[in-house]
């Protein structure tokens, strides 16, 4: 069975989803982040897996459902934090972020099911912004992540190239959109209709969000 890791940041105003401002205030951005995290954790809670681990920067809150282990993120850049999360696993693991509230157990199923590792050594879920929303490893090797440039438009391509260069057979998960900008929030709220994120967005978005931000990836 595969462990599922969710890497996340405590939804505190001014510390999360800063690129959602000025379309949303820092407090509103934190509400959206909390809703996205809650939807993500709910999907993982409904997914059959060996372990459910929240790799958290901050403190857990009422948004955390039962059945999750909580471990603190290490210091350093994102590549080091992701590497450390995998290093703590002793078997197959799938890591996702808190920025895709549209994720469902069905989307995770190919990398979780009993046959997930028969034909593949890794699973890769690309993101619209050029990053990735999911990464699975049959044998969690932190060296596969250390040194990969993060939070740039080439992050996903660089990570995928690292997996291929290591000789791994890589399975592909669907392309998803991370919530980084106000435009992302609008699109994802439509895709995740019925969830907490969509409800919070509908309550906050009284006017159309700003135009899409095509700047660097923020993860």
């Amino acid at each position: 069975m595969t462990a599922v890791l969710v890497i996340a940041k405590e939804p505190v105003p001014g510390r999360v989803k800063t690129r959602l401002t000025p379309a949303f205030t820092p407090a509103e951005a934190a509400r959206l982040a909390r809703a996205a995290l809650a939807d993500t954790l709910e999907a993982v809670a409904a997914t059959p897996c060996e372990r459910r681990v929240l790799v958290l920067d901050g403190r857990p809150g009422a948004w955390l459902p039962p059945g999750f282990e909580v471990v603190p993120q290490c210091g350093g850049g994102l590549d080091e934090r992701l590497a450390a999360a995998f290093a703590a696993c002793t078997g197959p693991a799938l890591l996702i972020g808190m920025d895709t509230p549209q994720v469902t157990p069905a989307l995770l199923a190919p990398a979780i099911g009993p046959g997930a590792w028969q034909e593949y050594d890794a699973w890769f879920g690309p993101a619209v912004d050029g990053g990735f929303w999911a990464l699975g490893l049959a044998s969690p090797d932190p060296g596969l992540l250390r040194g990969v440039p993060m939070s740039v438009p080439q992050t996903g391509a660089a990570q995928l190239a690292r997996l291929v260069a290591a000789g791994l057979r890589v399975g592909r998960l669907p392309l998803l959109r991370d919530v980084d900008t106000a435009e992302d929030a609008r699109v994802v709220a439509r895709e995740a209709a019925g969830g907490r994120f969509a409800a919070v967005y509908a309550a906050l978005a009284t006017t159309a969000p700003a135009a899409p931000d095509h700047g660097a990836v923020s993860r």
Side-chain angles (χ1 to χ4, degrees):
M1 293 287 287
T2 301
V4 180
L5 317 177
V6 179
I7 188 161
K9 183 180 291 186
E10 181 185 1
V12 175
R15 294 192 64 240
V16 292
K17 297 295 152 207
T18 54
R19 286 174 59 192
L20 289 179
T21 58
F24 300 97
T25 68
E28 290 171 341
R31 285 182 61 189
L32 287 166
R34 174 174 173 152
L37 178 54
D39 282 345
T40 301
L41 294 175
E42 183 177 80
V44 173
T47 300
C49 56
E50 182 180 43
R51 298 170 59 207
R52 299 174 181 86
V53 183
L54 176 63
V55 186
L56 183 63
D57 176 2
R59 299 172 298 178
W63 39 262
L64 178 65
F68 281 81
E69 304 171 41
V70 180
V71 299
Q73 289 186 31
C74 74
L78 181 56
D79 63 320
E80 290 290 344
R81 288 179 278 141
L82 297 180
F86 277 110
C89 298
T90 57
L94 177 71
L95 183 144
I96 66 174
M98 62 179 283
D99 303 332
T100 50
Q102 70 273 48
V103 73
T104 64
L107 287 173
L108 299 177
I112 298 295
W117 307 106
Q118 292 179 0
E119 297 182 8
Y120 301 110
D121 309 302
W123 286 90
F124 182 79
V128 170
D129 62 12
F132 58 92
W133 67 270
L135 178 64
L137 297 173
S139 299
D141 177 2
L144 292 170
L145 293 107
R146 291 193 179 109
V148 173
M150 297 287 168
S151 300
V152 296
Q154 298 78 31
T155 291
Q159 182 62 73
L160 181 58
R162 179 74 66 88
L163 301 176
V164 173
L168 303 185
R169 300 167 300 167
V170 183
R172 302 297 185 94
L173 293 171
L175 177 74
L176 293 186
R177 180 185 290 267
D178 285 336
V179 175
D180 286 321
T181 67
E183 174 64 9
D184 293 332
R186 183 187 68 80
V187 174
V188 171
R190 185 175 65 240
E191 295 174 350
R196 294 178 182 84
F197 183 84
V200 171
Y201 179 85
L204 295 177
T206 56
T207 60
D213 179 351
H214 298 294
V217 178
S218 175
R219 296 185 63 81

